[in-house]
């Protein structure tokens, strides 16, 4: 019982409105691309200075194979927004059916999810359209017992929705750091500023100029959903 209580407590804490996740679990190749964007060598010292990452037993063989298969399947897909929405709903429904079958404590879980967006070769759509399709898929499939969904700003109950960003939080920090020790403090300041801008955006408190276009986009999507909270047509 104690472990279950701790699990629920931790999940609720992570899903606190205004908080989010830095998704920095990147491969050596991916980190190398980020480092090359600031003309820094992709070596072990620079990777460790940027991120802690690979351990004695990590990544596991299972995680490598599962990720490889998933990426290969994804690479073959070219979809529009409606197709992405349908697949997202199908996958979420199957996932929560399996969790229910195995008696998983949903109150102690968080969902990290893709946005319902068109494929790279499909016509682009406005952020408001992505928000509508995404929240519709969530409302149709995610149980109210789940404390939080991490990827977008807070929109609709019964769960908290927030951000789980990788490159979006790291880019300006990397440019400020530039691989130089004397820039570490300034880079940390830039990183905290970016985090605060996105946190404020999820709460509807973002002020222009306190972050980049990403925070402004989050703010617009957040306000769109707040304005349509009473719309039951979704």
């Amino acid at each position: 019982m104690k472990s279950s209580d701790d699990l629920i407590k931790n999940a609720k804490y992570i899903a606190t409105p205004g908080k989010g996740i830095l998704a920095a679990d990147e491969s050596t190749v991916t980190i190398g691309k980020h480092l090359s964007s600031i003309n820094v060598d992709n070596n072990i010292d620079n990777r460790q200075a940027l991120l802690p990452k690979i351990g004695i037993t990590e990544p596991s063989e299972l995680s490598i194979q599962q990720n490889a298969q998933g990426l290969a399947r994804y690479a073959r897909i070219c979809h529009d927004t409606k197709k992405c929405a349908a697949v997202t709903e199908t996958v979420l429904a199957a996932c929560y059916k399996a969790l229910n079958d195995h008696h998983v404590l949903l109150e102690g879980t968080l969902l990290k999810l893709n946005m319902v967006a068109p494929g790279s070769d499909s016509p682009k759509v406005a952020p408001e359209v992505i928000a509508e399709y995404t929240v519709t898929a969530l409302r149709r499939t995610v149980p109210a017992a789940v404390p939080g969904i991490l990827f977008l700003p807070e929109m609709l109950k019964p769960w908290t929705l927030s951000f789980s960003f990788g490159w979006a939080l790291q880019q300006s920090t990397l440019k400020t750091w530039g691989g130089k020790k004397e820039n570490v403090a300034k880079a940390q300041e830039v990183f905290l500023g970016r985090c605060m801008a996105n946190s404020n955006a999820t709460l509807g408190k973002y002020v222009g100029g306190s972050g980049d276009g990403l925070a402004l986009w989050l703010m617009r999507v957040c306000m769109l959903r707040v304005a349509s909270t009473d719309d039951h047509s979704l």
Side-chain angles (χ1 to χ4, degrees):
M1 180 61 71
K2 183 63 165 61
S3 61
S4 296
D5 291 342
D6 288 342
L7 191 64
I8 294 172
K9 180 181 178 180
N10 290 335
K12 286 184 177 179
Y13 178 77
I14 295 173
T16 300
K19 294 186 180 297
I21 290 178
L22 168 61
D25 50 340
E26 297 169 328
S27 67
T28 301
V29 174
T30 301
I31 292 176
K33 294 178 180 178
H34 297 336
L35 291 173
S36 66
S37 70
I38 57 172
N39 298 316
V40 172
D41 291 335
N42 182 12
N43 56 49
I44 188 169
D45 291 334
N46 288 331
R47 288 195 299 271
Q48 289 182 345
L50 175 62
L51 298 171
K53 188 39 194 110
I54 298 174
I56 297 176
T57 59
E58 298 87 17
S60 68
E61 182 63 25
L62 177 61
S63 68
I64 292 173
Q65 294 302 320
Q66 290 295 319
N67 278 283
Q69 291 294 324
L71 289 172
R73 289 192 293 269
Y74 181 79
R76 298 186 60 187
I77 297 174
C78 178
H79 53 261
D80 60 15
T81 309
K82 291 184 178 179
K83 177 62 175 179
C84 183
V87 172
T88 298
E89 291 180 18
T90 299
V91 172
L92 284 175
C95 285
Y96 281 107
K97 173 61 166 58
L99 290 171
N100 182 68
D101 289 343
H102 290 276
H103 307 290
V104 172
L105 182 68
L106 295 183
E107 289 84 353
T109 67
L110 297 171
L111 173 64
K112 181 179 177 182
L113 184 68
N114 61 285
M115 290 176 283
V116 174
S120 58
D121 294 333
S122 295
K124 302 304 178 185
V125 297
E128 292 80 3
V129 175
I130 293 175
E132 181 174 350
Y133 275 99
T134 300
V135 175
T136 298
L138 297 176
R139 294 177 68 182
R140 288 174 174 172
T141 56
V142 181
V146 177
I149 303 171
L150 299 165
F151 70 120
L152 283 174
E154 183 179 12
M155 298 176 192
L156 293 174
K157 299 299 182 183
W159 352 263
T160 294
L161 280 80
S162 189
F163 58 88
S164 177
F165 293 152
W167 185 227
L169 286 175
Q170 298 175 56
Q171 186 174 20
S172 60
T173 306
L174 275 171
K175 290 182 178 179
T176 303
W177 172 52
K180 300 178 181 179
K181 291 183 178 179
E182 61 268 26
N183 294 336
V184 170
K186 181 61 177 177
Q188 291 174 337
E189 181 181 337
V190 170
F191 177 72
L192 290 175
R194 175 68 65 84
C195 291
M196 183 60 68
N198 285 287
S199 174
N200 287 338
T202 69
L203 299 173
K205 298 178 180 180
Y206 173 73
V207 178
S210 61
D212 67 354
L214 175 65
L216 180 59
W217 179 81
L218 286 174
M219 177 67 168
R220 287 174 176 171
V221 177
C222 181
M223 296 311 294
L224 168 72
R225 298 315 308 163
V226 169
S228 61
T229 298
D230 295 328
D231 182 1
H232 301 290
S233 63
L234 295 180

